[in-house]
Amino acid sequence: SNTYDNDMEVLIAEMRDHECYATQGKKPKYSQKMTAQRAKKEVSKSEAAKHPAQFKEAKALEIKSWLDCEVYELVDMRKTHVKNFITGRWVLTWKRDDLGNIVKAKARWVLRGFQDWQKNDVQTDSPTGSRPGLRLACALAAIKNWHIHAVDLKTAFLQGDSYTDEEQRDVVAQLPPEAGYPPYMGARLTKSAYGLNDAPRKWWDRLSRSLLALNLDQCRSDLCTYVYIGDRVSKSKTLTSAAGGLVSKALDLQEAI
C-alpha cells in the first residue's frame, strides 16, 4: 500500500511539473463556442420576467434548500442588537446541458460577502482539483477498465460544516422577500452560505473529513485526489457505485444528480 501510494504521489508530481514546463509563457487557447458554453451568464430582469413561473419555482426550491440544510435561525432584529448584517440578492441563471440547451431555471440567494466585517478573520483557503490529478484518474480508469462516475451536488456550499462556538462567527443575513417573513426578521447563520468567503472552506472541511472517514488516502501532492486502496467492497458491486453510496451516506447529501 505504501509503495502504491508513493507511486501515485510521484506520478502526480511529474505530471504537474511537465504541465508547468509545457505551458510556461503560453496562454491556453479556448474557442469562443467553448467559452460561451462554460460561462454562466446571469439572466437579466427583462428575460426573467418572460419566464415568471420557472424562476418562481427555482426561488422556492432555493428557499427550501436553506431550510433543509438548517443554514440559519430566525432572529427578530427589532429586539436584538445586530453587529454584522449582510444583505443578499437573487442570482438567476439557466442550467444548460452539454449542447447548450436549456434544462431548467436556477436561482441562488447570494449574500454580499464584502459587507461581512469578519471576512478577514476567517479561514478562506480551499484546495481545488488539479488537471494532473484528473488526468491521472482518467488514465488509471482506462488502464484498469474502471467505471467513471460523476456527481453534481445541489447547493454544496449550504452543506458545509456548521460554525463552532470557538469561531465566534456572528452573521445576520437578509432573507429574500419570497421567504414570506417581514423585513425586520433576519437569518442568524449557523453555517456559511453563497457569497461568504469562508463557504468553500467550510464545504471542503466537511467533504475531506467524510472521505477520510471512509478510509480513503489523500495524496500529498494533490489534496483533491484520494486513493481507495485494497478490496474493501463486495465483488458484486462496482467500486464507483459502492463508494458513491458510502460518500452520500457519510455526507447525508440533500441531492446528488
Side-chain angles (χ1 to χ4, degrees):
S1 297
N2 291 335
T3 302
Y4 182 79
D5 189 36
N6 291 335
D7 290 343
M8 293 282 289
E9 302 287 351
V10 172
L11 280 172
I12 294 178
E14 289 180 349
M15 292 177 71
R16 180 178 283 113
D17 292 342
H18 175 73
E19 183 179 63
C20 293
Y21 175 77
T23 59
Q24 186 175 10
K26 297 180 181 179
K27 295 183 179 180
K29 296 181 180 179
Y30 299 103
S31 64
Q32 293 182 352
K33 183 178 180 181
M34 182 180 298
T35 303
Q37 289 179 350
R38 291 185 177 182
K40 295 182 178 180
K41 293 185 177 180
E42 187 174 346
V43 175
S44 63
K45 292 183 179 181
S46 59
E47 183 178 356
K50 298 178 183 178
H51 309 275
Q54 291 174 276
F55 284 106
K56 181 180 179 180
E57 181 181 1
K59 290 179 179 179
L61 290 174
E62 174 71 358
I63 294 172
K64 184 177 183 297
S65 295
W66 277 60
L67 294 173
D68 292 342
C69 296
E70 300 179 347
V71 178
Y72 66 94
E73 298 173 348
L74 281 176
V75 58
D76 190 339
M77 294 186 290
R78 300 172 302 176
K79 304 176 182 180
T80 306
H81 178 60
V82 178
K83 299 180 181 179
N84 191 16
F85 181 73
I86 301 177
T87 61
R89 72 181 187 92
W90 284 112
V91 175
L92 308 178
T93 58
W94 292 112
K95 182 175 182 179
R96 301 177 183 270
D97 58 20
D98 294 337
L99 300 178
N101 301 316
I102 294 177
V103 177
K104 65 176 182 179
K106 293 185 64 176
R108 287 281 180 268
W109 182 249
V110 180
L111 303 180
R112 295 182 172 92
F114 61 87
Q115 298 175 346
D116 181 10
W117 66 270
Q118 292 180 315
K119 60 181 179 294
N120 296 324
D121 301 327
V122 295
Q123 188 175 6
T124 61
D125 61 300
S126 177
T128 56
S130 65
R131 283 184 290 180
L134 176 61
R135 290 171 180 173
L136 177 61
C138 293
L140 288 174
I143 295 172
K144 301 292 186 179
N145 197 26
W146 291 342
H147 296 282
I148 296 179
H149 183 66
V151 174
D152 181 14
L153 180 63
K154 178 182 178 183
T155 59
F157 283 1
L158 299 182
Q159 301 188 55
D161 276 345
S162 299
Y163 291 132
T164 62
D165 294 336
E166 290 76 11
E167 292 177 288
Q168 297 183 345
R169 200 79 162 95
D170 185 15
V171 180
V172 176
Q174 176 190 13
L175 289 166
E178 292 81 359
Y181 298 108
Y184 54 79
M185 296 300 294
R188 173 164 276 124
L189 300 186
T190 59
K191 57 177 64 176
S192 194
Y194 286 95
L196 298 184
N197 60 356
D198 59 349
R201 180 69 195 196
K202 285 296 184 180
W203 163 242
W204 161 256
D205 286 341
R206 186 184 180 194
L207 176 63
S208 181
R209 186 182 66 254
S210 300
L211 292 176
L212 293 175
L214 296 175
N215 295 323
L216 274 75
D217 297 321
Q218 187 181 40
C219 292
R220 294 185 298 271
S221 56
D222 188 343
L223 298 181
C224 289
T225 299
Y226 293 79
V227 184
Y228 201 73
I229 302 175
D231 186 14
R232 302 171 183 171
V233 295
S234 171
K235 294 182 179 180
S236 62
K237 296 181 179 180
T238 63
L239 176 62
T240 52
S241 62
L246 287 173
V247 171
S248 297
K249 183 178 180 180
L251 291 175
D252 189 24
L253 303 183
Q254 294 296 331
E255 181 175 337
I257 302 174

